[in-house]
Amino acid sequence: MSAHTSQPAEKPTDTENSALCDVKDITSQEFDYVVVGGGTAGMALASRLAEDPNVTVALLEAGGEMHKYPSIVMPAQYGREHENPVLVYSSKTTTQESLGRPLEVNRGRGLGGTSAINFMTFQKPQASDINAWEKLGSPGWNWARYDAAVKRVETLVHLTIPSSQQGHADQ
């Protein structure tokens, strides 16, 4: 299990107020918030909480750093790691009546969670679907606020993968 921590701004750290460490390294520390699960939602929550320089946040994740696996970060590799127990929790549904068989359900195990094994993509819903939430009685749940929040997490990251680790069509 690994942990990602955020310390208040007045404490010096080597990297942008955060550190990746083994959970045993932080068991004696106290945190204002502990977020369990480093998937998309857990990382978003921990990141938002850590925006306050007066609080400490620990993000716990059972898996590791998925970006270290070329097949996770390389385009056109969707599904390549779905059988890898280091990166995936795999389970099956009950038998689906319409299919006559169970379905396999893979969940990402590591920073990024299932988004990492699903080609790191997501789709925005239609604005009318989001606006319907507000019309049904949820004030503030509208497209303008949703879109502004999503734009805060949309980042293009350029990764360099050594040619010796790059996949080839015959692999």
Side-chain angles (χ1 to χ4, degrees), residues 88-118:
V88 175
Y89 292 113
S90 186
S91 60
K92 291 189 178 191
T93 66
T94 58
T95 299
Q96 302 300 295
E97 189 175 313
S98 60
L99 297 173
R101 63 180 174 86
L103 294 175
E104 191 164 329
V105 179
N106 293 317
R107 308 303 299 165
R109 180 181 180 182
L111 293 175
T114 303
S115 294
I117 65 167
N118 285 340

Side-chain angles (χ1 to χ4, degrees), residues 8-9 49 51 77 83 88 100 103 121 141 143 162:
L49 291 169
E51 288 175 0
Q77 300 296 307
E83 303 284 323
V88 175
L103 294 175
T121 64
W141 287 80
W143 177 258

Side-chain angles (χ1 to χ4, degrees), residues 75-156:
Q77 300 296 307
Y78 174 80
R80 187 169 184 166
E81 297 292 351
H82 281 192
E83 303 284 323
N84 184 343
V86 173
L87 300 175
V88 175
Y89 292 113
S90 186
S91 60
K92 291 189 178 191
T93 66
T94 58
T95 299
Q96 302 300 295
E97 189 175 313
S98 60
L99 297 173
R101 63 180 174 86
L103 294 175
E104 191 164 329
V105 179
N106 293 317
R107 308 303 299 165
R109 180 181 180 182
L111 293 175
T114 303
S115 294
I117 65 167
N118 285 340
F119 207 43
M120 296 179 278
T121 64
F122 70 96
Q123 295 177 331
K124 288 184 183 179
Q126 294 182 1
S128 59
D129 290 346
I130 301 298
N131 287 332
W133 294 345
E134 188 168 52
K135 290 177 184 172
L136 290 170
S138 298
W141 287 80
N142 56 51
W143 177 258
R145 290 192 64 196
Y146 168 86
D147 194 45
V150 169
K151 285 180 179 171
R152 291 182 65 190
V153 300
E154 291 177 330
T155 304
L156 178 61

Side-chain angles (χ1 to χ4, degrees), residues 3 6 9-10 24 30 44 56 68 74-75 90 94 98 124 128 130 141 144 155 157 159 167:
S6 168
E10 67 270 11
K24 69 180 187 288
E30 291 186 15
T56 56
K68 291 182 177 181
M74 194 180 321
S90 186
T94 58
S98 60
K124 288 184 183 179
S128 59
I130 301 298
W141 287 80
T155 304
V157 177
L159 299 173

